[in-house]
Amino acid sequence: MALQLQNPILKWIEYRLPVFSTIDHMVGSGYPTPKNLNYLWNFGSLAGIVLVVQIVTGIVLAMHYTPHTSLAFDSVEHIMRDVNYGWLMRYLHANGASMFFVVVYIHIFRGLYYGSYKTPRELLWFIGIIILLAMMATAFMGYVLPWGQMSFWGATVITNLFSAFPFIGDPIVTWLWGGFAVDNPTLNRFFSLHFLLPFVIVGLVMLHLLALHQHGSNNPLGVEKKGPQDTIPFHPYYTVKDLFGLGVFLIFFAYWVFFNPNYLGHPDNYIPANPLVTPAHIVPEWYFLPFYAILRAVPDKLGGVLLMFGAILILFLLPWLDTSRVKSSRFRPIYKQFYWVFVLACIGLLWAGGQPPEGLPLYLSRVCTVYYFAHFLVVMPLVGWFERPRPLPASISEPVLGGGKLPAGAAARGTH
Amino acid sequence: MRALQALSLVLGVALAAPALTVPALAATEAPKPPSLSWSFDGVFGTFDRAAAQRGFQVYKEVCSACHSMNLVAYRNLRDLGFNEAEVKAIAASVEVTDKLPNDQGEMFQRPGLPSDKFKAPFANEKAAAAANSGKAPPDLSLMAKARPHGPDYIHGLMIGYEEPPADVKLTAGQSYNKYFPGHIIAMAPPLAEDAVSYTDGTKATVDQMASDVAHFLMWAAEPKMEERKRIGFQAILFLIVATGVFYAVKRKVWADLH
Ligand code: HEM
């Protein structure tokens, strides 16, 4: 649908520099959207909004923050105490990072459930994984900036992981640190990269949207849209729905910021970094705990590191590991159950990651790690082959208009 | 199918079992301090000015002999209800070295100003450690946020001194405290009955001083708490109304589809 501009100034600009049609193509309001999206489809736009919140609050924080080991901690406290609404900026930013991961994790589990990684959305899925990796790097480096005890020791533990690689390990660690310990050069480069990466994410998000709009959103039925009867324009239908979702989300966000702002953080990070005193338990932020649990579930350091990174990289293989031709788990009675086992395993890892690696938590992290990988490498291919999916509706409007009666002809094995 | 249900059951139990044993695990460290009910708890919680002022008195007369509070300035005391003249007098009761040299290029001493940060008892951490059997007393500005259970912990620590069990040997400068992780602490019991005489006539029991100083330290760690909760309440109220409106609009817009 071509963009119709009324305003003569905008027309003048568009004639010379097609910015408006480019933007419209990317976040176009008129773009035809499946009519049956449920509330899980709100989380994409929410993620975009949280990214903007992080960038705006981050830029304000950067105006008052000092990236030096002897000043960083106090400069954050200066923000908290003396800068007008500095406490608000910092609590929005620190809790915003958690909200970002809540939203993106739900967004990813939505994709897993409805098979959104399958043809023709593989690249869309890949860009999403790269965004997740960039977010993780950004959040990790951001957590180092206030230069508290967890900042320092978290940075030390995580960067040290690279020393597990034979030969190149130690040189890599020295290179990352910019010296022989986590110190001022490390803090400086982390600040620089923490400032840069969110803008890289913005670029990736644009690609993500470009890929999305090529074939449009998947939907809870996992059946591609077949014509205008299956779609509605994004605006106003999904703009108001997204707005309502945003309202609910902001209430949740505001609860943390205003009434429990330090709950998701760690008390030790209010102690200035001290290289001579190791905290009793070094734990990363909650959103890294599942991966931290996988890392520590493996008795061998290198093995743990490889498995931890593998846990994310394996997501790149999903389009091929999932052998079913049906997208949505709604029509996959067996896979659906495994899906919930997988969710349970992830929750188990999240919990175990926050406990000292011994006894039950360690045992649990091992069970869940095995299932995490088995789910992708064994369950997905096999269930895809052997499962008999329930009959698929002929089209998106079918179940909506047809009172739930499904034509038997449109059965199993194949949407095309 | 059966196997699957069994699998989820096993995983479910495996998940739930350790959750039940967590408190038992944590108990090996230090017991949870008694949880008091504070005026600053809850959505509408505010600092009790009288309690915080008494707490400041305890800090000034007892704790400040050993503990710095480098992040708090005398002017901040206005938030606790001290007036301009009182703040000036409190600041002027200490001598500080000015940050910049005088016209002769010499560092000089002057009475404290409201804009000065609380004067620290020791010149540096080494001096602080040397005077306290090798353990520097930590800065208290953020103490109420830097320990699990914050103010409850500080109160607990003050009242948690007891005789060590028979198998624990203390060396000079060490005490035994029930709530301190590891129990052996380099701070002698700082509070004794009537260690301060409160200007408002409150009886200075150890428990009273302990909760007052914890109240004061919570304010010091989170001085913007009242503003935060006030704005938060307004923000959430606004968001609830706005979200209700969005929901109504959403229903209306979507009505023609169903
Ligand atoms: C992807 C978006 C971002 C994420 C996930 C993120 C995450 C974080 C986290 C977890 C912290 C530690 C907060 C704390 O515990 O105090 C932090 C701190 C910080 N971030 Fe970001 N950030 C993002 C974007 C930005 C941007 C774009 C900037 C600057 C332009 C920025 C500037 C800062 C500064 C100056 C701090 C130190 C102050 C503080 O610790 O509160 N951030 N960030």
Side-chain angles (χ1 to χ4, degrees), chain A residues 192-359:
Chain A
S192 169
L193 293 174
H194 183 73
F195 206 128
L196 169 70
L197 275 183
F199 297 94
V200 174
I201 295 178
V202 169
L204 289 166
V205 167
M206 287 179 177
L207 284 180
H208 198 64
L209 287 176
L210 198 61
L212 171 69
H213 289 206
Q214 183 72 358
H215 292 282
S217 302
N218 184 24
N219 65 79
L221 295 175
V223 179
E224 293 301 322
K225 50 184 193 273
K226 302 235 158 64
Q229 75 283 6
D230 290 344
T231 67
I232 45 179
F234 193 88
H235 182 73
Y237 294 103
Y238 287 108
T239 33
V240 280
K241 194 173 174 183
D242 277 354
L243 205 59
F244 168 58
L246 176 65
V248 175
F249 166 74
L250 287 180
I251 293 171
F252 177 72
F253 188 2
Y255 162 75
W256 295 104
V257 169
F258 293 107
F259 296 107
N260 222 344
N262 293 305
Y263 184 83
L264 297 167
H266 196 292
D268 279 19
N269 230 24
Y270 281 110
I271 306 171
N274 184 347
L276 303 177
V277 179
T278 318
H281 303 296
I282 301 173
V283 278
E285 294 279 83
W286 70 266
Y287 36 81
F288 293 131
L289 291 177
F291 304 100
Y292 199 52
I294 293 177
L295 170 76
R296 298 188 305 176
V298 188
D300 172 65
K301 189 174 173 190
L302 180 59
V305 173
L306 291 176
L307 232 52
M308 181 180 75
F309 287 116
I312 295 174
L313 297 183
I314 199 169
L315 297 174
F316 281 108
L317 299 180
L318 288 206
W320 298 282
L321 288 173
D322 184 350
T323 51
S324 172
R325 274 186 288 164
V326 174
K327 284 200 182 95
S328 171
S329 297
R330 245 188 220 185
F331 302 101
R332 303 187 56 191
I334 311 273
Y335 180 73
K336 189 197 261 179
Q337 301 195 40
F338 279 107
Y339 174 87
W340 289 109
V341 177
F342 177 73
V343 172
L344 214 59
C346 290
I347 295 173
L349 287 169
L350 178 74
W351 178 80
Q355 308 299 317
E358 58 202 20

Side-chain angles (χ1 to χ4, degrees), chain A residues 51 54-55 58-59 61-62 65 90 93-94 97 100 138-139 142-143 145-146 191 194-195 198 201 287:
Chain A
L51 176 62
Q54 288 304 93
I55 289 179
I59 288 175
L61 288 172
Y65 169 80
R90 171 158 187 256
H93 197 77
F100 205 1
T138 307
Y143 194 59
L145 302 185
F191 179 53
H194 183 73
F195 206 128
I201 295 178
Y287 36 81

Side-chain angles (χ1 to χ4, degrees), chain A residues 73 81-82 85 87 91 237-238 243-244 247 258-259 261-262 267 270-271 281 337-338 341 344 348 351 364, chain B residues 1 4 11 14-15 18 29 43 75 142 145-147 220 222 224 227-228 232 239 243 246-247 253-254 256:
Chain A
F73 187 91
R81 289 159 191 268
D82 301 326
Y85 297 105
W87 59 269
Y91 280 156
Y237 294 103
Y238 287 108
L243 205 59
F244 168 58
F258 293 107
F259 296 107
N262 293 305
Y270 281 110
I271 306 171
H281 303 296
Q337 301 195 40
F338 279 107
V341 177
L344 214 59
W351 178 80
L364 188 72
Chain B
M1 203 76 146
L4 243 162
L11 258 169
L15 282 174
E29 295 184 348
V43 173
R75 65 180 162 82
L142 284 165
K145 289 200 288 187
R147 296 289 182 279
E222 193 67 15
K224 298 294 164 70
E227 185 185 10
R228 162 161 68 72
L239 285 171
T243 306
F246 295 153
Y247 184 65
V253 168
W254 281 70
D256 61 351

Side-chain angles (χ1 to χ4, degrees), chain A residues 45-59:
Chain A
S45 73
L46 286 182
I49 291 166
V50 187
L51 176 62
V52 174
V53 170
Q54 288 304 93
I55 289 179
V56 172
T57 54
I59 288 175

